[in-house]
Each structure stands twice: as structure tokens, then as C-alpha cells.
Amino acid sequence: MTAGIEVELAGGVLAVTMSRLDKKNALTNEMYGALADAIERANTDGEVRVLLIQADGDTFTAGNDVMEFAAQATGNGPKERHVVRFLRGLANATVPIVAAVQGKAVGVGTTMLLHCDYVILSEEAQLITPFVNLALVPEAASSLLLPLRIGHARAFEMFALGEPVPADLAVTWGIANKLAPAGELRAEARRVAEKIATKPLGSLTAMKRLMRDAEKLVAQMDCESTTFVERLASAEAKEAFMAFAQKRQPDFTKIARQ
Ligand code: COA
């Protein structure tokens, strides 16, 4: 087990649990590495029929660790960015992915759901994509997938304003399949995962391949990544990360367009 990620295989379901409670499950490079390993295992281990993504605590995930963004912006980031392997893994995943989401799903916490095949939200869950608030751009091919899923107007609003989308609206918009009371979320997600695990896996993986254009998704991720890295080095991002560390609102109004 890597710090912050637990992985367990039972009944054909590989359950991956984000668990970094003191930081609201904010994802570090090491955690992305463990998530990427789990997806690779799901693709290659004959025992795995479904991947289940879930989280401990009151928050699904606070998204990428912002202090790691800040380190990366100053050239002090990790040599190998496992997030790239994780995102490509999601795009190329062969087995069905079920997600159980409670509380806030921030940034990649929401964009990873666009690669999941069956998403259950707890009734109080909120989806938040504050990339622009951090002076960044969307990732995980979400700049392609979110407008496709919910239309340009709603996607623009989610990305540009970064305001929480409540769970019931997320279901209405088709980002998620259904709601569950918080206390029943895990059990319901496992029930769905185990049901999918009884289906013919060859048929499921073939169907999933037909429903998704993995190559196009990876190409979009590469475009996003180039812009993302440029944005990380911007004066706007510097202000955003400093504001986060100082627990204040950022002020972008003095920074001219670059
Ligand atoms: N990266 C690093 N640390 C994070 C984090 C993140 N993405 N999100 C939360 N934390 C840390 C906080 O700094 C705080 O640490 P501290 O106790 O050492 O001060 C701790 O986790 C608890 O967070 P807090 O903000 O007190 O919890 P909350 O319940 O009031 O709010 C969030 C939870 C997720 C709404 C809020 O923390 C938040 O907005 N985080 C930033 C999300 C973000 O911008 N992610 C990047 C997306 S691209």
C-alpha cells in the first residue's frame, strides 16, 4: 500500500480507496503513481473484472495537491509525473470503472469521473472544477469530454466559475448515474460493481472500446498538458498558489493578459 491509496481485490472487483484524510484526499504524485499502478493491474490481472474507485472520509478528493502544483511551477516538481500515467491509464482502461463519490469532488476528482462507466454520488456530493480559479486549464481530456457530455454552456460555466454542481443536478446533466444516501453509498457501489463483474468480460471490454475513442482522448490530454504546464509557470498561477498557501482569495485584477 502507498501512503494515501489502498487497493483490495475481492470477488473480481479491484477496489481503490483514496485515504489521505488530513488533506481531504488531495492527490500527491505518489498517490497518482499508486492509482496508475492499480489501473495497469486492472488491465492485466486476469482476476480483475471491474475497477471500483472510492474514498474514505467526508471528501472524495480535494484534487491535485496544490502545494505540489506550486513546487512544480518553480521547477521543484517530481522527475516523473505519475499524473500523466494515471490519466493515460484512465483513457486506455479496458475494464469497466465504477465510482462512489461522497462530499466534494474537486478538479481531477470530477474530471476522472468522465472516464468512469458508472458513477454513484452521495446525495450531498458536489462536483467542482476550479481550474480557472487556480489560473490553470482543465485536464484529463475534460475540455473535450465535459462539453460533449453536458453541452458547452454548462461546461463553460463549470470551468470558468468553478462553482459547486450539486449531486442531483450532476445526475440530471448525465455526469453521474444515480444518487445514494451517504450511509449506503459504498454498499450500493459494491453491489453495482459485483453485478457488472458477473457479466461476460470479453463483451464488456469490447463494448467499452467501441464506446470510447481512447486515442483521441490521449491526444486531447497531451494538448491540455502542454497548455497546463505553460499556465503553471504564469504570474496568475503564482498568485493563485500563494493565495492558497496564505489562506486568502487571489487577486488577478492587477495582472495583465500574458
Ligand atoms: N492540496 C493541498 N492541500 C489541500 C488541498 C489541496 N488540493 N485541499 C485541502 N488541503 C488541505 C488544506 O490546506 C488543509 O490543510 P491544513 O489543515 O494543514 O491547513 C486541509 O487540507 C483541510 O482543508 P480545509 O480547506 O480546511 O477543509 P474544508 O473542508 O474547509 O474545505 C476543500 C475542503 C476541498 C473545499 C478546500 O480545502 C479546497 O477548496 N481545497 C483546494 C481544492 C483545489 O483547488 N484543488 C485543486 C483543483 S485543480
Side-chain angles (χ1 to χ4, degrees):
M1 181 190 127
T2 301
I5 299 291
E6 289 158 24
V7 180
E8 191 191 4
L9 176 62
V13 178
L14 188 70
V16 179
T17 308
M18 296 179 281
S19 190
R20 187 190 177 205
L21 299 184
D22 59 329
K23 298 291 181 188
K24 304 284 173 181
N25 297 332
L27 292 166
T28 60
N29 192 48
E30 193 184 3
M31 289 165 76
Y32 282 123
L35 290 170
D37 291 346
I39 297 174
E40 277 162 28
R41 177 174 170 191
N43 285 341
T44 51
D45 182 339
E47 298 285 300
V48 178
R49 303 178 72 84
V50 178
L51 180 66
L52 170 61
I53 301 178
Q54 57 190 14
D56 287 338
D58 62 8
T59 304
F60 181 63
T61 170
N64 200 105
D65 188 301
V66 175
M67 298 322 291
E68 288 203 1
F69 272 156
Q72 210 183 317
T74 53
N76 296 314
K79 272 201 204 90
E80 187 187 357
R81 290 177 63 230
H82 293 299
V83 64
V84 175
R85 205 159 55 84
F86 168 62
L87 296 180
R88 283 173 176 240
L90 281 177
N92 289 308
T94 54
V95 299
I97 308 178
V98 175
V101 180
Q102 81 283 12
K104 294 184 170 68
V106 186
V108 71
T110 288
T111 58
M112 75 168 82
L113 302 180
L114 302 170
H115 297 271
C116 297
D117 302 292
Y118 199 111
V119 177
I120 309 178
L121 303 178
S122 72
E123 285 160 352
E124 89 302 341
Q126 294 181 333
L127 306 188
I128 312 170
T129 46
F131 300 104
V132 168
N133 291 345
L134 284 168
L136 299 171
V137 288
E139 33 62 311
S142 62
S143 58
L144 174 74
L145 289 173
L146 195 64
L148 270 181
R149 186 78 68 90
I150 67 175
H152 177 90
R154 291 164 177 160
F156 180 88
E157 185 176 347
M158 278 185 77
F159 285 143
L161 302 184
E163 285 167 2
V165 172
D168 54 350
L169 199 53
V171 171
T172 305
W173 287 357
I175 301 177
N177 293 73
K178 63 178 181 181
L179 304 179
E184 293 165 28
L185 177 73
R186 281 276 185 102
E188 182 54 19
R190 180 155 288 276
R191 195 188 64 74
V192 169
E194 285 176 354
K195 188 170 184 181
I196 296 172
T198 65
K199 305 288 179 188
L201 185 58
S203 173
L204 277 174
T205 54
M207 178 190 76
K208 180 162 166 154
R209 200 166 52 240
L210 290 167
M211 288 175 74
R212 299 163 50 81
D213 187 344
E215 221 172 284
K216 192 169 177 186
L217 296 178
V218 170
Q220 186 75 11
M221 286 174 181
D222 288 347
C223 285
E224 290 170 344
S225 181
T226 304
T227 310
F228 198 96
V229 169
E230 284 167 11
R231 296 300 314 153
L232 267 178
S234 67
E236 292 174 345
K238 195 171 165 201
E239 164 61 7
F241 303 147
M242 208 186 303
F244 181 82
Q246 296 170 352
K247 296 189 186 295
R248 63 171 172 82
Q249 286 301 313
D251 178 5
F252 300 115
T253 59
K254 312 270 182 311
I255 306 173
R257 190 168 67 182
Q258 293 149 327

